[in-house]
Amino acid sequence: MHRDSAENRMYAAENGLNGDPRLEAIHQAIRVVPDFPKPGIMFQDITTLLLDHKVFKATVDIFVYRYKDRGISVVAGVEARGFMFGPSIALAIGAKFVPLRKPRKLPGKVISEAYELEYGTDCLEMHIDAVQPGERALVIDDVVATGGTLSAAIRLLERVGADVVECACVIGLREVKGQCRLNGKPVYILIEPRLVDNCC
Ligand SMILES: O=P(O)(O)OC[C@H]1O[C@H](OP(=O)(O)OP(=O)(O)O)[C@H](O)[C@@H]1O
Ligand SMILES: Nc1ncnc2[nH]cnc12
């Protein structure tokens, strides 16, 4: 796996949304859970964001505004938390939603890509007939850390001939040990992780 710097991570505050109060509201709505799922991980919990309709809508709206006129026909969501944002974005921009699932969950013919995580290894699968060659795709997930998950998602889409326009995440770490290059694809990120423990 090719590892590189954070060159293709684009933060919303530095890309047109500087001072936008929605970004601070999104930041405040994230719950940080220390040492989950293992010691040393400051887990960024987006389920608290989903509880606040206004902030949830603001999150989806920012992505919809960015992607609505980009000729995107596929929004590919990464299991599990990409499923929480992807379908709303797909409906609003007039694209289909394609789930990228963990192994042995999809019933049809699949292609698979393995990847490394901060806390282990995993694999993503996609139905081979869900995306046609030449389609323009957006990949959506809640968090990018090493980028291993997004790289696997990009590889799946590129294997079937799709053009991955961009990846989009709510939260992005700037520097992570073992960071992966995303085959030159940009990642658009709304906020940096919360560092304080506001859990429980
Ligand atoms: O950039 P990376 O280092 O690849 O990490 C980011 C991924 O990690 C989390 O998912 P997780 O693997 O915990 O799976 P889950 O959502 O099914 O719990 C997160 O939702 C991203 O998909
Ligand atoms: N710190 C973190 N919080 C939530 N999801 C993650 N995926 C990888 N690192 C994560």
Side-chain angles (χ1 to χ4, degrees):
M1 196 178 292
H2 190 136
R3 310 221 182 256
D4 211 322
S5 69
E7 63 186 356
N8 50 12
R9 298 191 185 203
M10 289 191 303
Y11 288 81
E14 295 153 12
N15 288 273
L17 294 185
N18 185 19
D20 189 318
R22 294 175 299 177
L23 297 180
E24 182 53 26
I26 292 165
H27 196 255
Q28 291 297 330
I30 303 296
R31 172 168 54 190
V32 182
V33 186
D35 302 320
F36 181 89
K38 12 188 265 202
I41 302 288
M42 291 292 273
F43 190 83
Q44 307 289 311
D45 178 15
I46 53 87
T47 66
T48 44
L49 182 160
L50 305 176
L51 298 175
D52 184 329
H53 169 262
K54 206 172 152 197
V55 182
F56 186 15
K57 183 171 185 312
T59 307
V60 171
D61 286 350
I62 293 171
F63 289 132
V64 169
Y65 183 77
R66 183 171 177 85
Y67 297 113
K68 64 184 163 60
D69 298 319
R70 303 271 297 265
I72 290 165
S73 61
V74 179
V75 175
V78 177
E79 181 172 356
R81 289 168 263 151
F83 293 2
M84 297 169 191
F85 301 98
S88 307
I89 298 164
L91 288 172
I93 69 172
K96 61 184 164 187
F97 179 75
V98 174
L100 306 181
R101 297 215 60 182
K102 301 289 164 70
R104 297 173 299 281
K105 299 286 187 185
L106 290 170
K109 191 170 175 206
V110 298
I111 52 173
S112 309
E113 284 287 341
Y115 60 96
E116 290 169 29
L117 282 167
E118 257 178 312
Y119 39 80
T121 60
D122 217 329
C123 178
L124 278 183
E125 295 186 339
M126 181 178 79
H127 274 144
I128 197 156
D129 56 0
V131 180
Q132 309 314 313
E135 285 201 88
R136 285 169 61 79
L138 167 70
V139 178
I140 178 93
D141 205 351
D142 65 331
V143 173
V144 54
T146 66
T149 308
L150 291 182
S151 344
I154 292 166
R155 289 196 298 277
L156 285 172
L157 288 155
E158 290 186 338
R159 276 173 65 184
V160 297
D163 174 13
V164 177
V165 175
E166 195 158 278
C167 300
C169 292
V170 179
I171 306 162
L173 284 67
R174 280 191 191 261
E175 301 289 337
V176 188
K177 199 168 134 250
Q179 196 156 311
C180 303
R181 183 192 272 264
L182 301 173
N183 203 12
K185 301 298 175 188
V187 191
Y188 179 71
I189 294 164
L190 299 189
I191 57 162
E192 300 204 40
R194 285 199 71 155
L195 300 176
V196 291
D197 170 6
N198 60 347
C199 160
C200 320

